[in-house]
Amino acid sequence: MFNMNNNENLQEELIQKLSHLQLSETDDDNSRQCSPALDSRLLEVIRELPNHLKQKLNSLIPKTNYQLIKQNDESIYYGMMENQQKQGEGIQIWQKIGNLLEGQWENDQLEGYCRMYYANGDSFECQFKSGKTNGFGVFKSQKKIVKGLWIDNTIQGEGQEIKSDGSRYFGQFSNGKKEGRGILMLNDGCKYEGQFKNNYFNGEGTFLWNDGSYYTGTFTNGQILGFGYYMNSVGIQMIGHFTELKQSRRDNEEKNQHLQTILFVNQYNQTLMIEKIRIL
């Protein structure tokens, strides 16, 4: 349960730590004129922060040589400065949206290992170069954890995505999406290994159901579609053309399960329906 007294104590502790600083304006003609730090602007910054960011902020203010600067985007930076530029370690707060960044700066741009803490509890840490993410990074939220290599602010190449529902992806990314070769282990015990495009199964791959049956062949936009090979759980084999049929979402939700239906056509134009029950 949220404790109002603890929140007020934390706020007072932050104010005491910041009391030696001065707030400088950078968005008007008097950009380097200083005013007392504990004016209404700074107090408002502290009050509007989510409590978990106040706690984070409280642990990041040991330095006595920090300067406090108001940025053009209405954020507040306090950290090391040199020649009127951010230089060295510092903290930046976007009070209106409640985000906090802890990082290293060089010539006013992020450089080195930095961490962003979001108002909703998400976090992202990564190597920066010339103000952009370039290096290994980790994004965490209540729904998922994503690890991999970021290039120019986008995850690229090998990476991992582990979701809170139990599903796990290990493979390649392109422009922030699953693309290339990868393995997806689903929370119902099924598994896909093969090609991805735009976050979907696409191209050649193998889908293994939790009953031990599997399909190897072509996928399009996340569904089985094309020539392939299927073997069921008792060893019966089928080779031919497979088409996964779309199901009514309402019907599936009412049954609390997902019915996966696949139409099989062999070389003699004989057809067979394959049905798989997947738990939602």
Side-chain angles (χ1 to χ4, degrees), residues 68 86 89 190 197 212 279:
L68 190 63
K86 289 174 277 189
E89 60 185 17
C190 297
K197 186 176 182 179
I279 303 301

Side-chain angles (χ1 to χ4, degrees), residues 22-82:
Q22 290 182 316
L23 180 63
S24 301
E25 298 287 355
T26 62
D27 53 359
D28 58 23
D29 292 338
N30 300 316
S31 62
R32 295 298 159 185
Q33 292 182 1
C34 295
S35 58
L38 296 179
D39 62 12
S40 61
R41 293 166 297 175
L42 182 58
L43 291 174
E44 194 64 27
V45 170
I46 297 173
R47 290 192 187 102
E48 290 181 359
L49 284 177
N51 197 51
H52 75 278
L53 289 185
K54 289 179 184 177
Q55 293 174 340
K56 178 61 65 177
L57 182 59
N58 191 42
S59 67
L60 298 177
I61 315 181
K63 306 297 182 181
T64 58
N65 58 342
Y66 276 9
Q67 296 183 48
L68 190 63
I69 306 294
K70 184 179 180 182
Q71 304 289 286
N72 293 336
D73 62 359
E74 299 299 320
S75 66
I76 298 292
Y77 167 82
Y78 53 100
M80 302 179 71
M81 301 282 294
E82 186 176 309

